[in-house]
Amino acid sequence: FPSHDNVPGRAGMLPTVNSTGTGSYAINNTEQKFFNGDSRGAKDASSINFRLGLEVNWTAFDGFRMFIERDRLQTLEQQSRTQTIAQMQGLAASILAAYYNLVQLERSTENLRYAVRLDRDLLTLVQNKKRIGTATGLEQLQSEARLTADSVRLHELETQIARTRMNFNQLLNRPVETEFAVDTAMASQLLPSVDELLARSLQANPAVQLQKLERQLSALNSEMLKGAKLPELGLQGTLNYGYTRNDVGFLLSNRNFGPTIGLTPRYTLYDGDNRNRDIANARISEENARLRETDLLRVLEAQIRNSYADYQALRQLNALEQRNLDVAREQAALARELYRLGRTTNFEVREATLQEIQAQDRLIQTLFRLKQTEINLLDLAGIPLYSNG
């Protein structure tokens, strides 16, 4: 992220060197008359005039503004780097959110496929029982309706997944038809404590860093305006070479060569009190930047604490939903076995199966919300969501 502007020359710390050169040649019919009565003349008299110069200007002192400008350029370079990091962090957060959205859709679809397989198995069992007279036509119609409803939902989910995959490819800036596999584990990670996340956010959150740099720039602007009230001292140096030759005149030729050194002090005695007004306005801007930083830190702390509370609650809810799913699976398996033995009804089997599918859906949604909260907390704390490699 190097900046081409963050150099001593841009800050005004280096001298400027200029070169000049002129040359002329003339032919004239010349006639000169002097006060003593003498005269001199020539036809087609030539004259040559040639000059070369090298000029060096350097501001030796400008109220320390060149050093303040150097610090300002360094701060602007840091600001540019931080903005790039913020964009990378934001893009990484968007990619991760889109990825885990796709994962939860894939898991929900797989859960619905499992439900459709159970519906088909139950329909087959009902049809077999109906043939031997132990099940009614109503039970068969109910099983068929359940299979149809779940099949429609499965088709809608598969269509949604296809669109989500294309959107994800577009987010990664690759062809939308690119095939790829996803890891549906959606494993949760253990985050640092809330106090550690808060400490990290103060040092690494890009928004906080940008606001700090904005405050620094406001302070440097105030210092720059204060420096304008001090005198300036400029140094000049020239090295000139000149040559003149005339066919007619007092001198046939003239040549000079040598250096010249100058010193120029400058100080503005009165400028309509504009500098004082500018300094007062700069101080107001500096105070506003400080207040914005304070407000940002308060909002950030509230966001981290609220998200961390959600994170802890979701971890507990995840454990409860996992236990609930285990019970629902055992209950559904037992209901299907009892139905085969003729000891329960088709309605009770469908209800037990529905509870199993719903428990699995709740677990998937809890895991998805937990991943969203983790990504948000890492982002707020400024912990990189992307690989530096």
Side-chain angles (χ1 to χ4, degrees):
F1 308 95
S3 172
H4 296 295
D5 284 335
N6 186 15
V7 291
R10 182 67 74 178
M13 305 177 74
L14 300 179
T16 60
V17 181
N18 300 305
S19 62
T20 58
T22 60
S24 64
Y25 176 76
I27 299 176
N28 298 287
N29 294 327
T30 303
E31 183 178 355
Q32 297 177 343
K33 292 184 179 181
F34 304 98
F35 288 103
N36 61 4
D38 294 339
S39 64
R40 182 182 301 170
K43 184 179 181 181
D44 296 331
S46 63
S47 63
I48 298 174
N49 187 12
F50 180 75
R51 175 183 174 83
L52 276 177
L54 189 66
E55 181 180 310
V56 179
N57 291 286
W58 181 47
T59 302
F61 180 76
D62 64 349
F64 303 106
R65 283 181 293 171
M66 65 177 70
F67 301 101
I68 299 172
E69 178 65 13
R70 179 197 58 189
D71 295 340
R72 191 185 74 86
L73 292 174
Q74 291 176 348
T75 305
L76 287 174
E77 183 175 351
Q78 294 175 5
Q79 186 182 57
S80 177
R81 292 176 179 175
T82 306
Q83 287 172 344
T84 302
I85 292 173
Q87 292 174 356
M88 293 171 61
Q89 183 82 340
L91 178 60
S94 298
I95 291 174
L96 285 173
Y99 178 81
Y100 284 110
N101 178 52
L102 180 59
V103 169
Q104 67 93 13
L105 285 175
E106 292 278 5
R107 291 191 59 166
S108 296
T109 302
E110 184 57 37
N111 186 43
L112 200 51
R113 291 193 185 102
Y114 171 69
V116 169
R117 288 197 299 270
L118 292 179
D119 291 340
R120 288 197 180 101
D121 292 342
L122 181 59
L123 177 60
T124 301
L125 182 59
V126 170
Q127 289 172 340
N128 292 334
K129 295 185 73 170
K130 183 174 180 296
R131 278 194 292 269
I132 63 176
T134 57
T136 65
L138 177 60
E139 290 178 327
Q140 180 175 340
L141 291 174
Q142 289 173 338
S143 298
E144 290 176 350
R146 183 69 186 176
L147 174 60
T148 300
D150 286 343
S151 297
V152 170
R153 289 178 55 207
L154 177 60
H155 177 72
E156 292 174 347
L157 265 180
E158 288 174 340
T159 302
Q160 185 178 356
I161 285 178
R163 290 197 303 266
T164 305
R165 281 178 168 269
M166 288 188 291
N167 293 335
F168 186 72
N169 282 328
Q170 187 176 12
L171 182 61
L172 295 181
N173 195 28
R174 64 187 184 185
V176 295
E177 67 275 6
T178 302
E179 296 291 336
F180 60 93
V182 296
D183 181 7
T184 57
M186 206 154 44
S188 175
Q189 65 181 103
L190 185 61
L191 296 181
S193 66
V194 64
D195 292 334
E196 185 175 347
L197 290 173
L198 286 170
R200 289 287 298 269
S201 69
L202 297 179
Q203 300 298 324
N205 181 279
V208 173
Q209 298 308 307
L210 285 173
Q211 192 56 56
K212 286 182 178 179
L213 293 171
E214 191 65 32
R215 176 173 53 81
Q216 292 176 17
L217 288 172
S218 297
L220 289 171
N221 185 44
S222 296
E223 294 298 322
M224 182 74 75
L225 292 171
K226 291 177 183 177
K229 301 180 70 174
L230 298 176
E232 296 183 9
L233 181 63
L235 297 177
Q236 302 87 34
T238 60
L239 183 64
N240 293 315
Y241 172 78
Y243 176 77
T244 303
R245 183 183 183 281
N246 293 291
D247 286 347
V248 178
F250 292 102
L251 297 174
L252 177 63
S253 64
N254 180 35
R255 182 174 61 181
N256 58 74
F257 175 72
T260 303
I261 298 177
L263 181 67
T264 305
R266 290 181 295 272
Y267 181 69
T268 303
L269 296 175
Y270 181 71
D271 68 344
D273 207 33
N274 291 326
R275 285 174 297 183
N276 289 331
R277 282 192 291 269
D278 291 339
I279 291 173
N281 291 332
R283 286 174 178 169
I284 293 174
S285 298
E286 186 178 352
E287 179 64 17
N288 288 337
R290 188 190 64 81
L291 292 175
R292 286 195 297 269
E293 181 182 352
T294 301
D295 290 342
L296 176 61
L297 292 177
R298 289 173 180 169
V299 171
L300 181 61
E301 180 179 2
Q303 289 176 334
I304 290 178
R305 291 191 181 279
N306 289 335
S307 294
Y308 197 83
D310 293 341
Y311 166 75
Q312 291 179 313
L314 286 169
R315 285 182 63 86
Q316 295 174 356
L317 181 60
N318 178 52
L320 292 174
E321 291 292 0
Q322 184 62 60
R323 288 197 293 270
N324 186 44
L325 176 60
D326 294 338
V327 172
R329 282 174 173 170
E330 292 181 6
Q331 179 181 336
L334 180 60
R336 288 190 291 272
E337 180 63 24
L338 291 175
Y339 185 70
R340 289 189 185 93
L341 299 175
R343 297 170 59 183
T344 189
T345 64
N346 177 276
F347 174 79
E348 291 176 340
V349 173
R350 287 189 293 106
E351 283 299 309
T353 302
L354 179 61
Q355 289 179 10
E356 178 187 2
I357 300 304
Q358 290 176 341
Q360 179 68 26
D361 274 336
R362 288 196 304 272
L363 179 61
I364 293 171
Q365 293 305 314
T366 300
L367 285 171
F368 178 52
R369 290 168 56 196
L370 184 57
K371 291 305 297 185
Q372 286 180 312
T373 305
E374 289 175 0
I375 294 169
N376 185 47
L377 278 171
L378 292 173
D379 186 24
L380 290 173
I383 298 174
L385 297 171
Y386 54 89
S387 173
N388 291 323

